[in-house]
Every structure is written in C-alpha cells, then in structure tokens.
Amino acid sequence: MKALIIGGARSGLGCARLLNQQGYDVTLATNSDFSERSEIEALGIKVLLDDKDMSLVDAYDVVVKNPGIPNDHPLVSQFDTVLNEIEIASMFSSSYDYYAISGTNGKTTTTTLLYEMLKEKSDSAMLAGNVGYALSQRVYEIGNEKCDVALEISAFQMEGTPTFSPKVYALLNLSPDHMDRYEEVDDYYLAKCKILPRVGLFVRNFDDKNIMRLTKNFEGPCINISLDNTEADVYRQGKQVIYKGSVLFDIDELKIVGDHNIMNAMFACILALEAGVTLNQIQTVLYSFVGVEHRIEFVRELRGVRYYNDSKATNPESTEVCLKAFDKPILLLAGGYDKHISFDLLKPYTPKLKKIYLFGDSALQLKEIWPEAIIVETMIEAINLASNDAVSGDVVVLSPACASYDQFDNFEERGNIFKETIKTLQ
C-alpha cells in the first residue's frame, strides 16, 4: 500500500508515522526541512523537500494533505481524492469516542475545558486537533485503546473527512473568516456542516442565525443552547444556567468572564455530560478553570499598566470579544496576515481605544477603519511605542484580528514573543 503526504508540520509528520506503522509505503513531500527529518527517514519514510514536485503524481492508495494547504495547490490538485489527517487517524481508532467542537470562535477554550472535564472521568482522556496536538500522532503513540477525545476541528480539517463520525459534534458559532480560501462565506459555513449526517448528536448555538439557517432541516438528535431563549434545551436564567429543569452551573462561580465564555462553558458541560462525566465533576473543573493561553491572557502589570496577550484573536469577531471585556482605556496592537475579510464590525469600539498600533500585511486595511492609527513594521515596534504611551490605569492588548502567517509561524509564536517582550520592559 502506498501513501503520499503533502505538507509536513505536526499533522503531516504524525500522519506519516501512523501510516508507516500501519504498513504503508509512505512518501512525505514538504516545502522546507524540519528537525525530525532524520527520525522520520529512519522509519523508512521517504522525504522530499519540494511539495510541488510533479514527479510524485502517481497511483496511491491514500493521499493526505496538511489542512493549511489549499485545494488548488499544484500537486494536491492532481488527485481526485485527498484526505486529511483526522480522517486517517479515525481509520485506526475505532475504540475512540470523539467529542468534536467547531465554530469560528471559542473552539480552543471550549475544547480545553471539555478535556479537563473528561480527565475527571478517566486519565485516558485525550486533547487533539486544531488545538495544537495532531490526532494522528496521538493514535500513533497510544494505539486503538478506548478513550474519550476532546477534538477541536476547523473548517480546513473537515475537508477530506468523508467517513469521520464523532459521537457528539458541537457548532459554537459562525461568522465570516478565511475568505482567502473560500469564494463565498456560505462555502466556509457549509464546510462546518457537511459532517452533520454522520454525527451521533448535534449540539448547536440556538442564538446564531447562520447556524439555525443552515441546519434548520437537521432531523437527527440535537441539543439547542441559548444565552437567553428559554425555548432552548440549555439556557441562562438570571445567574444560573438551566438544563432539563435543573441548575447546570452558577454563573457567579466562573473565573472566566463574558457572555462568550458562559456560552463556551454551556457547550463544554453538555458534551461532558454526554461523555458520562458527573455534574459534580463538571462543576469542580468549571469553577476552577481560568482560561487558555493566548486568549485574553494576563501577562504582567508594570507601573499601573496591565498587559494582555490575545494572540488567538485571528479574526475580527475574536478581537470584538476582547474589546468588550475591558472597561479601561485600551492601547491596541493589531494586524497580521490578510485573510480578505472585513474589519467593519470593530469600528464601533473606537471610543474605547486610546491608541492603536498596526503592523503586518493588513495594516493599511485596518487603517481604513481607524485613520488615527499608527502603522509600524513589526509587533516589537508596536510594543515599544505602546509601553511608552501608556499610563497607569491603561490596558495594552495584543488582539490582532488577523492570522499570524505574514510574520510568524503561528499565533502561539506571536503570543509567546509578545509575552517575552513584555516581561523585559523596565
């Protein structure tokens, strides 16, 4: 059996190891060298440092691509059927129960919170997917042992998953994103809905008009979640969240703030209940959960100025959530890779912004929203200006509203560099 993997990174390397373990003759084509190359080649995997090498066009039993590679990529486009690593991993993990979470925003927080809850049930619980851990690597390491998986899955990862069937699928929200990849916004939305015929239970945001429009004809088992609509199965009532006539949790006990995090908590709780975690275990985790790295993450306070890392805000909706969270003057650092999406929804928050520093490919587009903004070359330059301009009582926030690929490998690297730089300020 022959397999071609196009694209390295975490998912490509994990998939290469797994398919090799399962007896495939694996070729990995990637566009740059990587530190694990010797280890990969020692397994018998052929590595080519050119992911556009047309000599690779051949008959394969399996062709897999990294989710970040577009479908019109020169080599990818030569094959009729191209899978992704989640599909491959699911082929060799029939004993896993998948609790998959998608949406435009909130995926990482909700998936991480669910994982912490699943661990209360069993130490075998797994966290994987777009949250930063390749599912194929986990299956390679652990094998087909029974476990519950909290899986963050993006629209890109759903492409090439013709058989992947999660036990529960949660769709948090839908708003425009990745318009550099999709021709129409509904193409992006529908990428997150094509999985519905194969899910055991669908959990959806009852307040999201796009979700309800696109899933109105869904006839399978479904749980609706709402902040305020009591017609939903799960809803907020005063300072409590109600499910099946009983209190799911007390809102005042949460350490994560904002309506978006109440909704994230509702989803995580329902999925955990479906997985067999007890209500007491769920509440214990929920009431101690302080959030995830790179999402409105407090870094330090210096001379009365508080610095926050929100590098996970890779679209305007995420930055909007961040700006809503503060009632103090904000010095905003924003910009990055241009995904060809509108930033108009951020304009009403201008009165909250004391100063704005823009960098990256999208700086000029963002300046159309904020003409008063200062454009700089790099994030480091923006940090230095903001730290000089801020006074006691101000908040300095990195919330880019953009992906990181123009100047960084990923949002984690961007956030880590921001934090390291802030910690060196005197």
Side-chain angles (χ1 to χ4, degrees):
M1 296 182 291
K2 291 175 59 179
L4 173 64
I5 300 173
I6 305 169
R10 287 176 291 224
S11 64
L13 298 183
C15 197
R17 293 185 182 102
L18 178 58
L19 286 172
N20 172 263
Q21 182 187 65
Q22 297 296 324
Y24 283 78
D25 179 10
V26 179
T27 298
L28 171 66
T30 185
N31 62 4
S32 60
D33 210 346
F34 52 96
S35 59
E36 301 95 330
R37 181 180 172 186
S38 295
E39 174 249 319
I40 289 291
E41 290 181 326
L43 294 173
I45 297 168
K46 182 180 180 182
V47 176
L48 289 171
L49 300 181
D50 181 1
D51 65 0
K52 298 181 178 66
D53 186 344
M54 290 300 123
S55 70
L56 291 171
V57 177
D58 198 354
Y60 296 93
D61 296 282
V62 174
V63 178
V64 187
K65 76 173 181 69
N66 183 290
I69 297 175
N71 295 323
D72 61 359
H73 177 278
L75 183 56
V76 171
S77 62
Q78 301 303 307
F79 300 97
D80 293 332
T81 301
V82 180
L83 306 177
N84 71 48
E85 66 101 14
I86 287 180
E87 176 73 10
I88 298 299
S90 69
M91 290 165 53
F92 305 108
S93 57
S94 58
S95 296
Y96 290 23
D97 284 330
Y98 287 105
Y99 300 87
I101 295 170
S102 196
T104 304
N105 298 301
K107 297 187 295 296
T108 298
T109 297
T110 306
T111 307
T112 304
L113 178 53
L114 172 62
Y115 169 62
E116 295 297 329
M117 293 172 176
L118 293 176
K119 286 197 297 182
E120 292 293 302
K121 174 188 170 186
S122 173
D123 290 338
S124 67
M126 185 187 299
L127 176 68
N130 197 53
V131 71
Y133 307 102
L135 179 60
S136 54
Q137 180 67 26
R138 297 292 180 134
V139 177
Y140 167 76
E141 294 171 347
I142 297 168
N144 193 19
E145 299 292 330
K146 184 171 179 58
C147 67
D148 295 322
V149 183
L151 182 72
E152 178 182 334
I153 185 167
S154 69
F156 295 171
Q157 289 171 315
M158 288 186 177
E159 297 174 356
T161 55
T163 68
F164 174 62
S165 306
K167 185 173 183 179
V168 183
Y169 174 58
L171 188 53
L172 306 181
N173 45 62
L174 290 174
S175 56
D177 202 358
H178 301 296
M179 296 314 297
D180 57 325
R181 176 84 164 247
Y182 297 99
E183 290 187 8
E184 302 291 339
V185 69
D186 267 10
D187 295 335
Y188 163 63
Y189 295 162
L190 289 170
K192 293 179 177 285
C193 296
K194 288 179 180 177
I195 197 173
L196 289 178
R198 304 190 304 277
V199 306
L201 171 67
F202 180 34
V203 184
R204 65 184 174 186
N205 184 341
F206 200 59
D207 299 334
D208 191 294
K209 293 180 180 178
N210 289 317
I211 291 176
M212 297 309 295
R213 170 175 62 87
L214 293 170
T215 66
K216 62 183 178 181
N217 295 323
F218 180 75
E219 297 180 350
C222 182
I223 294 177
N224 292 315
I225 293 180
S226 171
L227 283 175
D228 299 307
N229 190 332
T230 57
E231 293 183 5
D233 302 291
V234 188
Y235 57 89
R236 176 173 57 182
Q237 188 174 70
K239 293 293 186 178
Q240 296 178 321
V241 168
I242 307 299
Y243 178 51
K244 293 184 176 179
S246 299
V247 176
L248 188 58
F249 61 84
D250 291 305
I251 293 170
D252 283 345
E253 296 292 329
L254 299 181
K255 288 185 170 60
I256 49 177
V257 298
D259 281 355
H260 66 291
N261 274 324
I262 295 173
M263 181 67 84
N264 293 340
M266 293 162 109
F267 272 95
C269 289
I270 293 303
L271 269 65
L273 283 174
E274 290 296 322
V277 186
T278 69
L279 182 58
N280 182 62
Q281 290 172 324
I282 287 169
Q283 291 177 346
T284 297
V285 171
L286 179 60
Y287 295 158
S288 63
F289 185 71
V290 295
V292 298
E293 190 178 16
H294 306 298
R295 194 70 184 102
I296 319 182
E297 176 192 8
F298 175 69
V299 179
R300 73 179 294 199
E301 183 171 334
L302 178 65
R303 293 189 294 275
V305 178
R306 294 174 70 85
Y307 293 84
Y308 288 86
N309 165 35
D310 193 38
S311 183
K312 186 72 170 65
T314 58
N315 56 51
E317 286 76 15
S318 290
T319 294
E320 179 183 31
V321 167
C322 176
L323 298 180
K324 284 180 178 179
F326 297 105
D327 55 9
K328 295 183 178 182
I330 299 171
L331 287 79
L332 175 67
L333 283 62
Y337 176 75
D338 184 6
K339 294 194 284 187
H340 304 296
I341 55 179
S342 171
F343 297 101
D344 289 348
L345 65 84
L346 296 176
K347 193 168 185 178
Y349 298 92
T350 303
K352 301 186 74 171
L353 303 177
K354 181 178 178 180
K355 290 252 182 154
I356 306 159
Y357 312 89
L358 306 176
F359 56 91
D361 290 349
S362 61
L364 291 176
Q365 187 182 354
L366 280 162
K367 193 169 175 66
E368 293 178 7
I369 303 298
W370 294 311
E372 69 278 19
I374 299 168
I375 292 182
V376 297
E377 288 294 321
T378 68
M379 180 180 70
I380 302 298
E381 188 179 349
I383 291 171
N384 291 332
L385 288 175
S387 65
N388 288 330
D389 292 340
V391 299
S392 180
D394 288 345
V395 172
V396 175
V397 182
L398 169 68
S399 189
C402 301
S404 57
Y405 309 129
D406 57 337
Q407 297 182 354
F408 307 93
D409 287 341
N410 46 52
F411 74 81
E412 294 99 334
E413 182 187 48
R414 177 172 63 189
N416 288 332
I417 291 173
F418 174 81
K419 290 191 290 183
E420 290 165 6
T421 306
I422 295 302
K423 289 173 182 176
T424 65
L425 296 176
Q426 301 295 319

